[in-house]
Amino acid sequence: MEWIAKALEKVRKRKPLVQNITNFVVMNTTANALLALGASPVMAHAKDELEDMLRIADSLVVNIGTLDEHWISSMEKAVKIASELKKPTVLDPVGAGATKLRTETALKLLEIGDITILRGNFGEITSLLGEHGKTRGVDSAAYEKDKAKELAFIAAKEFNTVVAVTGPVDYVSDGREVYAIYNGHEMLGRVTGTGCMVTAITGAFTAVEEPLKAAVSALVIFGIVAEKAYEEAKYPGSFHVKLYDWLYRIDGELINERAKVRKVEP
């Protein structure tokens, strides 16, 4: 997948400014992930500066992990502004399905703006298609491989966007094509914020690449990074640190050697 390596080159050459409205748990984590990859993060959610910030940003990432009325208002305003400015927007519906507030907030953001990529786990994306109440905390509901592929395809058509359903196998679809990504490591589930990290770097790729390729590139690269991190660090704390190291170290040669992705039938 030579185009994945080229997407990484584009990120490092352009150093896109990724505007994040994200949760308190992962602000530092996702900012460092973007910096390690070669992008530029900004974390700003004050409504009075959103328009100024989005005019200079290359993309927007919205993560609903820690909601309140002020954050929701900022997210809604940011998504509308980004749509008006035609800035690509990535939405992470963290915990959708666990509470009515989370599900309704994610659905409203999908409705009021042009969401470029929707990235969530099996339970979150399932809940947005109407099967509520299956998500506990931010853990995915029972993942089913064949259903995950179908879910990505159907959700992409339903929401008219690129959808990435992450799990043991990641599936990405634009409602026409579906890609399956087999990179990654189960240790990612032992460190909080790893899903948010991949959402943030998806924001960097969508600033330089068309949406389907951007989502696939981000997931393949982060999956390889996780594999390499685990080779050097077998425990959660050191593994977390190694994720940053390999986001910095990964290159085209490693991507071409380790990428496990293929187009599959919807």
Side-chain angles (χ1 to χ4, degrees):
M1 288 289 180
E2 189 67 33
W3 51 267
I4 298 175
K6 288 182 178 178
L8 178 61
E9 288 179 17
K10 291 178 186 177
V11 168
R12 289 178 172 164
K13 183 176 181 179
R14 182 170 173 183
K15 294 179 169 49
L17 180 63
V18 183
Q19 153 72 345
N20 293 261
I21 301 180
T22 191
N23 69 73
F24 289 122
V25 179
V26 302
M27 280 189 186
N28 183 67
T29 301
T30 53
N32 280 330
L34 285 164
L35 285 169
L37 183 72
S40 299
V42 60
M43 309 302 193
H45 54 267
K47 286 194 290 184
D48 290 343
E49 69 173 353
L50 287 175
E51 186 163 356
D52 290 342
M53 196 65 76
L54 283 165
R55 286 191 181 278
I56 62 172
D58 295 297
S59 62
L60 169 68
V61 171
V62 176
N63 175 312
I64 69 168
T66 50
L67 288 178
D68 65 25
E69 62 272 21
H70 303 294
W71 284 69
I72 292 170
S73 181
S74 290
M75 290 172 181
E76 291 176 356
K77 183 175 180 179
V79 165
K80 288 178 181 178
I81 293 170
S83 298
E84 291 168 3
L85 296 175
K86 300 191 183 306
K87 300 294 177 83
T89 300
V90 180
L91 173 62
D92 190 333
V94 178
T99 68
K100 184 178 179 181
L101 178 65
R102 290 174 181 269
T103 307
E104 290 182 348
T105 297
L107 288 171
K108 186 171 183 182
L109 292 171
L110 283 161
E111 178 185 341
I112 65 175
D114 297 324
I115 301 301
T116 311
I117 299 171
L118 173 65
R119 202 284 323 161
N121 64 39
F122 185 85
E124 291 160 351
I125 304 301
T126 297
S127 76
L128 296 182
L129 284 176
E131 293 186 24
H132 304 282
K134 291 187 176 181
T135 304
R136 297 178 301 168
V138 295
D139 299 325
S140 65
Y143 174 94
E144 296 179 54
K145 181 179 175 181
D146 291 338
K147 287 188 177 180
K149 177 179 70 172
E150 182 183 16
L151 181 64
F153 180 72
I154 293 172
K157 295 179 74 171
E158 177 73 18
F159 298 121
N160 192 31
T161 190
V162 168
V163 173
V165 178
T166 52
V169 178
D170 301 327
Y171 290 95
V172 180
S173 179
D174 61 357
R176 295 180 295 275
E177 300 177 323
V178 181
Y179 282 89
I181 298 151
Y182 302 90
N183 293 104
H185 196 277
E186 62 184 11
M187 184 59 78
L188 288 168
R190 296 283 186 164
V191 179
T192 191
T194 55
C196 302
M197 289 171 76
V198 79
T199 298
I201 69 170
T202 301
F205 282 100
T206 198
V208 303
E209 188 58 88
E210 63 91 10
L212 184 64
K213 287 185 176 181
V216 172
S217 297
L219 288 168
V220 169
I221 286 170
F222 195 69
I224 295 170
V225 163
E227 293 166 2
K228 294 297 291 183
Y230 187 75
E231 287 175 9
E232 297 182 355
K234 308 297 186 185
Y235 302 100
S238 51
F239 172 77
H240 192 188
V241 173
K242 287 295 182 179
L243 288 175
Y244 299 119
D245 292 348
W246 278 102
L247 281 168
Y248 180 82
R249 295 175 64 184
I250 193 168
D251 57 19
E253 182 179 353
L254 183 60
I255 292 168
N256 291 330
E257 175 190 326
R258 299 284 292 256
K260 291 181 284 187
V261 55
R262 62 185 175 90
K263 190 182 291 187
V264 295
E265 289 297 318

mmCIF file of all heavy atoms in Angstrom, residues 46-95:
data_model
loop_
_atom_site.group_PDB
_atom_site.id
_atom_site.type_symbol
_atom_site.label_atom_id
_atom_site.label_comp_id
_atom_site.label_asym_id
_atom_site.label_seq_id
_atom_site.Cartn_x
_atom_site.Cartn_y
_atom_site.Cartn_z
ATOM 1 N N ALA A 46 -13.127 27.233 23.527
ATOM 2 C CA ALA A 46 -13.872 28.448 23.869
ATOM 3 C C ALA A 46 -14.622 28.947 22.640
ATOM 4 O O ALA A 46 -14.035 29.126 21.568
ATOM 5 C CB ALA A 46 -12.919 29.525 24.381
ATOM 6 N N LYS A 47 -15.921 29.175 22.790
ATOM 7 C CA LYS A 47 -16.744 29.537 21.639
ATOM 8 C C LYS A 47 -16.269 30.822 20.967
ATOM 9 O O LYS A 47 -16.361 30.962 19.747
ATOM 10 C CB LYS A 47 -18.205 29.671 22.068
ATOM 11 C CG LYS A 47 -18.875 28.333 22.333
ATOM 12 C CD LYS A 47 -20.383 28.456 22.412
ATOM 13 C CE LYS A 47 -20.812 29.193 23.672
ATOM 14 N NZ LYS A 47 -22.297 29.210 23.777
ATOM 15 N N ASP A 48 -15.761 31.759 21.750
ATOM 16 C CA ASP A 48 -15.384 33.057 21.193
ATOM 17 C C ASP A 48 -14.152 33.001 20.293
ATOM 18 O O ASP A 48 -13.897 33.953 19.553
ATOM 19 C CB ASP A 48 -15.145 34.071 22.322
ATOM 20 C CG ASP A 48 -16.432 34.464 23.030
ATOM 21 O OD1 ASP A 48 -17.522 34.219 22.451
ATOM 22 O OD2 ASP A 48 -16.362 35.013 24.153
ATOM 23 N N GLU A 49 -13.385 31.916 20.352
ATOM 24 C CA GLU A 49 -12.203 31.838 19.495
ATOM 25 C C GLU A 49 -12.300 30.770 18.409
ATOM 26 O O GLU A 49 -11.378 30.604 17.613
ATOM 27 C CB GLU A 49 -10.944 31.579 20.335
ATOM 28 C CG GLU A 49 -10.850 30.215 20.978
ATOM 29 C CD GLU A 49 -9.511 29.966 21.645
ATOM 30 O OE1 GLU A 49 -8.598 30.794 21.493
ATOM 31 O OE2 GLU A 49 -9.388 28.940 22.334
ATOM 32 N N LEU A 50 -13.424 30.077 18.361
ATOM 33 C CA LEU A 50 -13.536 28.964 17.426
ATOM 34 C C LEU A 50 -13.387 29.399 15.971
ATOM 35 O O LEU A 50 -12.679 28.753 15.198
ATOM 36 C CB LEU A 50 -14.876 28.241 17.611
ATOM 37 C CG LEU A 50 -15.012 27.376 18.863
ATOM 38 C CD1 LEU A 50 -16.430 26.820 18.974
ATOM 39 C CD2 LEU A 50 -14.000 26.239 18.858
ATOM 40 N N GLU A 51 -14.050 30.472 15.593
ATOM 41 C CA GLU A 51 -13.977 30.880 14.192
ATOM 42 C C GLU A 51 -12.566 31.284 13.804
ATOM 43 O O GLU A 51 -12.058 30.891 12.750
ATOM 44 C CB GLU A 51 -14.953 32.028 13.908
ATOM 45 C CG GLU A 51 -15.005 32.370 12.426
ATOM 46 C CD GLU A 51 -16.225 33.188 12.055
ATOM 47 O OE1 GLU A 51 -17.081 33.434 12.919
ATOM 48 O OE2 GLU A 51 -16.317 33.574 10.883
ATOM 49 N N ASP A 52 -11.900 32.059 14.658
ATOM 50 C CA ASP A 52 -10.516 32.456 14.371
ATOM 51 C C ASP A 52 -9.612 31.230 14.264
ATOM 52 O O ASP A 52 -8.761 31.146 13.367
ATOM 53 C CB ASP A 52 -9.990 33.375 15.470
ATOM 54 C CG ASP A 52 -10.637 34.747 15.452
ATOM 55 O OD1 ASP A 52 -11.230 35.102 14.413
ATOM 56 O OD2 ASP A 52 -10.558 35.458 16.472
ATOM 57 N N MET A 53 -9.794 30.277 15.173
ATOM 58 C CA MET A 53 -8.940 29.102 15.179
ATOM 59 C C MET A 53 -9.185 28.222 13.961
ATOM 60 O O MET A 53 -8.244 27.727 13.322
ATOM 61 C CB MET A 53 -9.160 28.301 16.465
ATOM 62 C CG MET A 53 -8.091 27.284 16.756
ATOM 63 S SD MET A 53 -6.480 28.053 17.068
ATOM 64 C CE MET A 53 -6.739 28.669 18.743
ATOM 65 N N LEU A 54 -10.444 28.033 13.613
ATOM 66 C CA LEU A 54 -10.767 27.159 12.492
ATOM 67 C C LEU A 54 -10.373 27.765 11.151
ATOM 68 O O LEU A 54 -10.140 27.034 10.188
ATOM 69 C CB LEU A 54 -12.255 26.806 12.515
ATOM 70 C CG LEU A 54 -12.627 25.750 13.559
ATOM 71 C CD1 LEU A 54 -14.118 25.706 13.797
ATOM 72 C CD2 LEU A 54 -12.109 24.377 13.148
ATOM 73 N N ARG A 55 -10.253 29.074 11.078
ATOM 74 C CA ARG A 55 -9.801 29.690 9.830
ATOM 75 C C ARG A 55 -8.347 29.333 9.534
ATOM 76 O O ARG A 55 -7.953 29.243 8.363
ATOM 77 C CB ARG A 55 -9.981 31.211 9.886
ATOM 78 C CG ARG A 55 -11.421 31.646 9.751
ATOM 79 C CD ARG A 55 -11.578 33.140 9.541
ATOM 80 N NE ARG A 55 -12.980 33.472 9.449
ATOM 81 C CZ ARG A 55 -13.722 33.358 8.350
ATOM 82 N NH1 ARG A 55 -13.178 32.896 7.233
ATOM 83 N NH2 ARG A 55 -14.996 33.701 8.350
ATOM 84 N N ILE A 56 -7.563 29.123 10.574
ATOM 85 C CA ILE A 56 -6.151 28.788 10.348
ATOM 86 C C ILE A 56 -5.878 27.290 10.445
ATOM 87 O O ILE A 56 -4.824 26.822 10.022
ATOM 88 C CB ILE A 56 -5.227 29.550 11.326
ATOM 89 C CG1 ILE A 56 -5.523 29.170 12.783
ATOM 90 C CG2 ILE A 56 -5.351 31.044 11.122
ATOM 91 C CD1 ILE A 56 -4.521 29.735 13.772
ATOM 92 N N ALA A 57 -6.840 26.535 10.991
ATOM 93 C CA ALA A 57 -6.658 25.086 11.130
ATOM 94 C C ALA A 57 -6.842 24.390 9.787
ATOM 95 O O ALA A 57 -7.511 24.892 8.886
ATOM 96 C CB ALA A 57 -7.647 24.525 12.145
ATOM 97 N N ASP A 58 -6.232 23.211 9.667
ATOM 98 C CA ASP A 58 -6.380 22.402 8.460
ATOM 99 C C ASP A 58 -7.475 21.349 8.601
ATOM 100 O O ASP A 58 -7.977 20.838 7.597
ATOM 101 C CB ASP A 58 -5.051 21.717 8.127
ATOM 102 C CG ASP A 58 -3.975 22.727 7.765
ATOM 103 O OD1 ASP A 58 -4.147 23.428 6.761
ATOM 104 O OD2 ASP A 58 -2.979 22.813 8.503
ATOM 105 N N SER A 59 -7.834 21.028 9.837
ATOM 106 C CA SER A 59 -8.910 20.064 10.072
ATOM 107 C C SER A 59 -9.403 20.212 11.502
ATOM 108 O O SER A 59 -8.760 20.860 12.334
ATOM 109 C CB SER A 59 -8.425 18.627 9.828
ATOM 110 O OG SER A 59 -7.383 18.276 10.716
ATOM 111 N N LEU A 60 -10.557 19.598 11.772
ATOM 112 C CA LEU A 60 -11.176 19.636 13.096
ATOM 113 C C LEU A 60 -11.435 18.220 13.577
ATOM 114 O O LEU A 60 -11.924 17.384 12.818
ATOM 115 C CB LEU A 60 -12.504 20.404 13.034
ATOM 116 C CG LEU A 60 -13.417 20.338 14.268
ATOM 117 C CD1 LEU A 60 -12.790 21.068 15.458
ATOM 118 C CD2 LEU A 60 -14.798 20.928 13.944
ATOM 119 N N VAL A 61 -11.100 17.961 14.842
ATOM 120 C CA VAL A 61 -11.440 16.688 15.495
ATOM 121 C C VAL A 61 -12.353 16.993 16.672
ATOM 122 O O VAL A 61 -12.020 17.827 17.523
ATOM 123 C CB VAL A 61 -10.177 15.952 15.986
ATOM 124 C CG1 VAL A 61 -10.566 14.752 16.851
ATOM 125 C CG2 VAL A 61 -9.328 15.500 14.810
ATOM 126 N N VAL A 62 -13.509 16.330 16.714
ATOM 127 C CA VAL A 62 -14.452 16.491 17.821
ATOM 128 C C VAL A 62 -14.609 15.146 18.515
ATOM 129 O O VAL A 62 -14.960 14.144 17.890
ATOM 130 C CB VAL A 62 -15.821 16.995 17.324
ATOM 131 C CG1 VAL A 62 -16.815 17.049 18.482
ATOM 132 C CG2 VAL A 62 -15.687 18.378 16.689
ATOM 133 N N ASN A 63 -14.353 15.138 19.813
ATOM 134 C CA ASN A 63 -14.377 13.921 20.629
ATOM 135 C C ASN A 63 -15.294 14.197 21.816
ATOM 136 O O ASN A 63 -15.042 15.120 22.592
ATOM 137 C CB ASN A 63 -12.940 13.614 21.087
ATOM 138 C CG ASN A 63 -12.831 12.443 22.032
ATOM 139 O OD1 ASN A 63 -13.564 12.346 23.008
ATOM 140 N ND2 ASN A 63 -11.879 11.560 21.774
ATOM 141 N N ILE A 64 -16.370 13.413 21.966
ATOM 142 C CA ILE A 64 -17.404 13.741 22.952
ATOM 143 C C ILE A 64 -17.190 13.043 24.297
ATOM 144 O O ILE A 64 -18.132 12.870 25.073
ATOM 145 C CB ILE A 64 -18.809 13.423 22.408
ATOM 146 C CG1 ILE A 64 -19.047 11.911 22.277
ATOM 147 C CG2 ILE A 64 -19.043 14.112 21.063
ATOM 148 C CD1 ILE A 64 -20.502 11.534 22.034
ATOM 149 N N GLY A 65 -15.955 12.714 24.622
ATOM 150 C CA GLY A 65 -15.677 11.902 25.806
ATOM 151 C C GLY A 65 -16.109 12.476 27.136
ATOM 152 O O GLY A 65 -16.524 11.737 28.030
ATOM 153 N N THR A 66 -15.987 13.794 27.338
ATOM 154 C CA THR A 66 -16.393 14.408 28.612
ATOM 155 C C THR A 66 -17.334 15.566 28.306
ATOM 156 O O THR A 66 -16.901 16.694 28.102
ATOM 157 C CB THR A 66 -15.176 14.901 29.429
ATOM 158 O OG1 THR A 66 -14.323 15.702 28.594
ATOM 159 C CG2 THR A 66 -14.368 13.735 29.967
ATOM 160 N N LEU A 67 -18.612 15.268 28.293
ATOM 161 C CA LEU A 67 -19.619 16.242 27.869
ATOM 162 C C LEU A 67 -20.179 17.064 29.023
ATOM 163 O O LEU A 67 -20.320 16.585 30.140
ATOM 164 C CB LEU A 67 -20.790 15.519 27.194
ATOM 165 C CG LEU A 67 -20.557 14.924 25.809
ATOM 166 C CD1 LEU A 67 -21.829 14.205 25.346
ATOM 167 C CD2 LEU A 67 -20.161 15.991 24.811
ATOM 168 N N ASP A 68 -20.485 18.319 28.734
ATOM 169 C CA ASP A 68 -21.402 19.130 29.522
ATOM 170 C C ASP A 68 -22.013 20.148 28.565
ATOM 171 O O ASP A 68 -21.679 20.170 27.375
ATOM 172 C CB ASP A 68 -20.733 19.795 30.734
ATOM 173 C CG ASP A 68 -19.667 20.810 30.358
ATOM 174 O OD1 ASP A 68 -19.720 21.378 29.245
ATOM 175 O OD2 ASP A 68 -18.783 21.066 31.182
ATOM 176 N N GLU A 69 -22.904 20.984 29.065
ATOM 177 C CA GLU A 69 -23.627 21.887 28.164
ATOM 178 C C GLU A 69 -22.702 22.869 27.446
ATOM 179 O O GLU A 69 -22.951 23.247 26.293
ATOM 180 C CB GLU A 69 -24.720 22.655 28.928
ATOM 181 C CG GLU A 69 -24.231 23.570 30.038
ATOM 182 C CD GLU A 69 -24.096 22.872 31.388
ATOM 183 O OE1 GLU A 69 -23.990 21.626 31.405
ATOM 184 O OE2 GLU A 69 -24.090 23.586 32.410
ATOM 185 N N HIS A 70 -21.613 23.272 28.100
ATOM 186 C CA HIS A 70 -20.686 24.219 27.474
ATOM 187 C C HIS A 70 -19.905 23.555 26.339
ATOM 188 O O HIS A 70 -19.726 24.128 25.271
ATOM 189 C CB HIS A 70 -19.736 24.789 28.528
ATOM 190 C CG HIS A 70 -20.439 25.452 29.667
ATOM 191 N ND1 HIS A 70 -21.181 26.603 29.516
ATOM 192 C CD2 HIS A 70 -20.529 25.117 30.982
ATOM 193 C CE1 HIS A 70 -21.706 26.958 30.687
ATOM 194 N NE2 HIS A 70 -21.320 26.076 31.583
ATOM 195 N N TRP A 71 -19.430 22.331 26.595
ATOM 196 C CA TRP A 71 -18.690 21.610 25.566
ATOM 197 C C TRP A 71 -19.593 21.282 24.380
ATOM 198 O O TRP A 71 -19.173 21.403 23.224
ATOM 199 C CB TRP A 71 -18.103 20.321 26.155
ATOM 200 C CG TRP A 71 -16.917 20.556 27.013
ATOM 201 C CD1 TRP A 71 -16.896 21.170 28.238
ATOM 202 C CD2 TRP A 71 -15.569 20.196 26.727
ATOM 203 N NE1 TRP A 71 -15.616 21.196 28.733
ATOM 204 C CE2 TRP A 71 -14.780 20.606 27.827
ATOM 205 C CE3 TRP A 71 -14.954 19.553 25.671
ATOM 206 C CZ2 TRP A 71 -13.410 20.397 27.883
ATOM 207 C CZ3 TRP A 71 -13.581 19.349 25.721
ATOM 208 C CH2 TRP A 71 -12.825 19.767 26.805
ATOM 209 N N ILE A 72 -20.821 20.875 24.652
ATOM 210 C CA ILE A 72 -21.740 20.542 23.564
ATOM 211 C C ILE A 72 -21.981 21.757 22.684
ATOM 212 O O ILE A 72 -21.948 21.680 21.447
ATOM 213 C CB ILE A 72 -23.069 19.993 24.120
ATOM 214 C CG1 ILE A 72 -22.840 18.627 24.781
ATOM 215 C CG2 ILE A 72 -24.115 19.881 23.016
ATOM 216 C CD1 ILE A 72 -24.032 18.110 25.559
ATOM 217 N N SER A 73 -22.205 22.907 23.307
ATOM 218 C CA SER A 73 -22.426 24.140 22.552
ATOM 219 C C SER A 73 -21.219 24.484 21.684
ATOM 220 O O SER A 73 -21.361 24.875 20.517
ATOM 221 C CB SER A 73 -22.732 25.284 23.529
ATOM 222 O OG SER A 73 -22.961 26.480 22.835
ATOM 223 N N SER A 74 -20.012 24.315 22.234
ATOM 224 C CA SER A 74 -18.793 24.591 21.473
ATOM 225 C C SER A 74 -18.638 23.618 20.301
ATOM 226 O O SER A 74 -18.252 24.014 19.198
ATOM 227 C CB SER A 74 -17.564 24.500 22.384
ATOM 228 O OG SER A 74 -17.533 25.560 23.297
ATOM 229 N N MET A 75 -18.931 22.350 20.563
ATOM 230 C CA MET A 75 -18.829 21.341 19.498
ATOM 231 C C MET A 75 -19.781 21.651 18.353
ATOM 232 O O MET A 75 -19.407 21.588 17.181
ATOM 233 C CB MET A 75 -19.115 19.950 20.071
ATOM 234 C CG MET A 75 -18.042 19.428 20.992
ATOM 235 S SD MET A 75 -18.549 17.886 21.803
ATOM 236 C CE MET A 75 -17.106 17.566 22.819
ATOM 237 N N GLU A 76 -21.002 22.007 18.698
ATOM 238 C CA GLU A 76 -21.989 22.315 17.659
ATOM 239 C C GLU A 76 -21.556 23.525 16.844
ATOM 240 O O GLU A 76 -21.636 23.522 15.600
ATOM 241 C CB GLU A 76 -23.361 22.556 18.297
ATOM 242 C CG GLU A 76 -23.975 21.297 18.881
ATOM 243 C CD GLU A 76 -25.288 21.559 19.598
ATOM 244 O OE1 GLU A 76 -25.684 22.751 19.711
ATOM 245 O OE2 GLU A 76 -25.920 20.593 20.066
ATOM 246 N N LYS A 77 -21.082 24.554 17.520
ATOM 247 C CA LYS A 77 -20.643 25.748 16.802
ATOM 248 C C LYS A 77 -19.433 25.434 15.930
ATOM 249 O O LYS A 77 -19.356 25.875 14.769
ATOM 250 C CB LYS A 77 -20.292 26.861 17.798
ATOM 251 C CG LYS A 77 -19.887 28.167 17.125
ATOM 252 C CD LYS A 77 -19.672 29.283 18.133
ATOM 253 C CE LYS A 77 -19.274 30.577 17.424
ATOM 254 N NZ LYS A 77 -19.069 31.693 18.388
ATOM 255 N N ALA A 78 -18.497 24.664 16.450
ATOM 256 C CA ALA A 78 -17.280 24.340 15.695
ATOM 257 C C ALA A 78 -17.606 23.536 14.436
ATOM 258 O O ALA A 78 -17.056 23.799 13.360
ATOM 259 C CB ALA A 78 -16.311 23.555 16.575
ATOM 260 N N VAL A 79 -18.498 22.553 14.559
ATOM 261 C CA VAL A 79 -18.862 21.726 13.409
ATOM 262 C C VAL A 79 -19.531 22.574 12.332
ATOM 263 O O VAL A 79 -19.265 22.421 11.137
ATOM 264 C CB VAL A 79 -19.768 20.557 13.856
ATOM 265 C CG1 VAL A 79 -20.453 19.903 12.671
ATOM 266 C CG2 VAL A 79 -18.946 19.529 14.624
ATOM 267 N N LYS A 80 -20.381 23.504 12.737
ATOM 268 C CA LYS A 80 -21.040 24.388 11.771
ATOM 269 C C LYS A 80 -20.024 25.283 11.066
ATOM 270 O O LYS A 80 -20.068 25.459 9.847
ATOM 271 C CB LYS A 80 -22.096 25.237 12.479
ATOM 272 C CG LYS A 80 -23.323 24.466 12.911
ATOM 273 C CD LYS A 80 -24.292 25.377 13.655
ATOM 274 C CE LYS A 80 -25.524 24.612 14.132
ATOM 275 N NZ LYS A 80 -26.457 25.473 14.909
ATOM 276 N N ILE A 81 -19.101 25.860 11.835
ATOM 277 C CA ILE A 81 -18.089 26.737 11.243
ATOM 278 C C ILE A 81 -17.187 25.956 10.293
ATOM 279 O O ILE A 81 -16.878 26.414 9.185
ATOM 280 C CB ILE A 81 -17.249 27.419 12.346
ATOM 281 C CG1 ILE A 81 -18.110 28.390 13.154
ATOM 282 C CG2 ILE A 81 -16.050 28.155 11.738
ATOM 283 C CD1 ILE A 81 -17.423 28.923 14.402
ATOM 284 N N ALA A 82 -16.754 24.771 10.733
ATOM 285 C CA ALA A 82 -15.886 23.951 9.890
ATOM 286 C C ALA A 82 -16.583 23.601 8.573
ATOM 287 O O ALA A 82 -15.959 23.600 7.508
ATOM 288 C CB ALA A 82 -15.479 22.679 10.630
ATOM 289 N N SER A 83 -17.881 23.329 8.651
ATOM 290 C CA SER A 83 -18.636 23.021 7.435
ATOM 291 C C SER A 83 -18.683 24.230 6.509
ATOM 292 O O SER A 83 -18.500 24.107 5.292
ATOM 293 C CB SER A 83 -20.056 22.574 7.796
ATOM 294 O OG SER A 83 -20.036 21.389 8.562
ATOM 295 N N GLU A 84 -18.917 25.403 7.078
ATOM 296 C CA GLU A 84 -18.963 26.629 6.274
ATOM 297 C C GLU A 84 -17.615 26.913 5.626
ATOM 298 O O GLU A 84 -17.546 27.372 4.479
ATOM 299 C CB GLU A 84 -19.375 27.807 7.159
ATOM 300 C CG GLU A 84 -20.822 27.752 7.634
ATOM 301 C CD GLU A 84 -21.114 28.754 8.735
ATOM 302 O OE1 GLU A 84 -20.196 29.534 9.093
ATOM 303 O OE2 GLU A 84 -22.255 28.761 9.244
ATOM 304 N N LEU A 85 -16.542 26.626 6.359
ATOM 305 C CA LEU A 85 -15.191 26.877 5.853
ATOM 306 C C LEU A 85 -14.656 25.715 5.028
ATOM 307 O O LEU A 85 -13.529 25.784 4.522
ATOM 308 C CB LEU A 85 -14.241 27.153 7.023
ATOM 309 C CG LEU A 85 -14.531 28.406 7.857
ATOM 310 C CD1 LEU A 85 -13.591 28.475 9.061
ATOM 311 C CD2 LEU A 85 -14.408 29.666 7.015
ATOM 312 N N LYS A 86 -15.454 24.650 4.936
ATOM 313 C CA LYS A 86 -15.069 23.446 4.191
ATOM 314 C C LYS A 86 -13.771 22.824 4.733
ATOM 315 O O LYS A 86 -12.912 22.368 3.978
ATOM 316 C CB LYS A 86 -14.948 23.744 2.692
ATOM 317 C CG LYS A 86 -16.253 24.259 2.085
ATOM 318 C CD LYS A 86 -16.216 24.292 0.592
ATOM 319 C CE LYS A 86 -17.508 24.876 -0.001
ATOM 320 N NZ LYS A 86 -18.724 24.191 0.491
ATOM 321 N N LYS A 87 -13.672 22.803 6.060
ATOM 322 C CA LYS A 87 -12.560 22.136 6.716
ATOM 323 C C LYS A 87 -12.976 20.714 7.078
ATOM 324 O O LYS A 87 -14.059 20.504 7.632
ATOM 325 C CB LYS A 87 -12.145 22.897 7.995
ATOM 326 C CG LYS A 87 -11.697 24.334 7.770
ATOM 327 C CD LYS A 87 -10.409 24.413 6.965
ATOM 328 C CE LYS A 87 -10.003 25.853 6.668
ATOM 329 N NZ LYS A 87 -9.288 26.494 7.761
ATOM 330 N N PRO A 88 -12.169 19.709 6.758
ATOM 331 C CA PRO A 88 -12.539 18.322 7.089
ATOM 332 C C PRO A 88 -12.694 18.131 8.588
ATOM 333 O O PRO A 88 -11.927 18.689 9.381
ATOM 334 C CB PRO A 88 -11.375 17.507 6.530
ATOM 335 C CG PRO A 88 -10.243 18.461 6.387
ATOM 336 C CD PRO A 88 -10.847 19.800 6.117
ATOM 337 N N THR A 89 -13.687 17.328 8.957
ATOM 338 C CA THR A 89 -14.029 17.139 10.368
ATOM 339 C C THR A 89 -14.127 15.654 10.698
ATOM 340 O O THR A 89 -14.786 14.896 9.984
ATOM 341 C CB THR A 89 -15.364 17.823 10.691
ATOM 342 O OG1 THR A 89 -15.260 19.227 10.412
ATOM 343 C CG2 THR A 89 -15.744 17.634 12.158
ATOM 344 N N VAL A 90 -13.474 15.258 11.783
ATOM 345 C CA VAL A 90 -13.526 13.880 12.269
ATOM 346 C C VAL A 90 -14.300 13.865 13.584
ATOM 347 O O VAL A 90 -14.016 14.656 14.486
ATOM 348 C CB VAL A 90 -12.109 13.306 12.494
ATOM 349 C CG1 VAL A 90 -12.183 11.859 12.992
ATOM 350 C CG2 VAL A 90 -11.288 13.389 11.210
ATOM 351 N N LEU A 91 -15.269 12.971 13.696
ATOM 352 C CA LEU A 91 -16.081 12.844 14.908
ATOM 353 C C LEU A 91 -15.831 11.506 15.581
ATOM 354 O O LEU A 91 -15.901 10.456 14.937
ATOM 355 C CB LEU A 91 -17.574 12.966 14.560
ATOM 356 C CG LEU A 91 -18.563 12.697 15.708
ATOM 357 C CD1 LEU A 91 -18.389 13.690 16.850
ATOM 358 C CD2 LEU A 91 -20.008 12.721 15.184
ATOM 359 N N ASP A 92 -15.536 11.553 16.883
ATOM 360 C CA ASP A 92 -15.388 10.352 17.702
ATOM 361 C C ASP A 92 -16.527 10.338 18.716
ATOM 362 O O ASP A 92 -16.518 11.107 19.680
ATOM 363 C CB ASP A 92 -14.038 10.370 18.424
ATOM 364 C CG ASP A 92 -13.709 9.047 19.105
ATOM 365 O OD1 ASP A 92 -14.652 8.313 19.465
ATOM 366 O OD2 ASP A 92 -12.515 8.757 19.296
ATOM 367 N N PRO A 93 -17.545 9.467 18.536
ATOM 368 C CA PRO A 93 -18.718 9.453 19.410
ATOM 369 C C PRO A 93 -18.481 8.619 20.666
ATOM 370 O O PRO A 93 -19.154 7.612 20.912
ATOM 371 C CB PRO A 93 -19.788 8.831 18.517
ATOM 372 C CG PRO A 93 -19.019 7.842 17.687
ATOM 373 C CD PRO A 93 -17.656 8.476 17.445
ATOM 374 N N VAL A 94 -17.536 9.029 21.479
ATOM 375 C CA VAL A 94 -17.107 8.232 22.632
ATOM 376 C C VAL A 94 -18.285 7.906 23.553
ATOM 377 O O VAL A 94 -18.988 8.790 24.034
ATOM 378 C CB VAL A 94 -16.026 8.983 23.438
ATOM 379 C CG1 VAL A 94 -15.608 8.168 24.664
ATOM 380 C CG2 VAL A 94 -14.821 9.285 22.561
ATOM 381 N N GLY A 95 -18.496 6.632 23.779
ATOM 382 C CA GLY A 95 -19.531 6.195 24.712
ATOM 383 C C GLY A 95 -20.951 6.310 24.182
ATOM 384 O O GLY A 95 -21.903 6.136 24.953
#
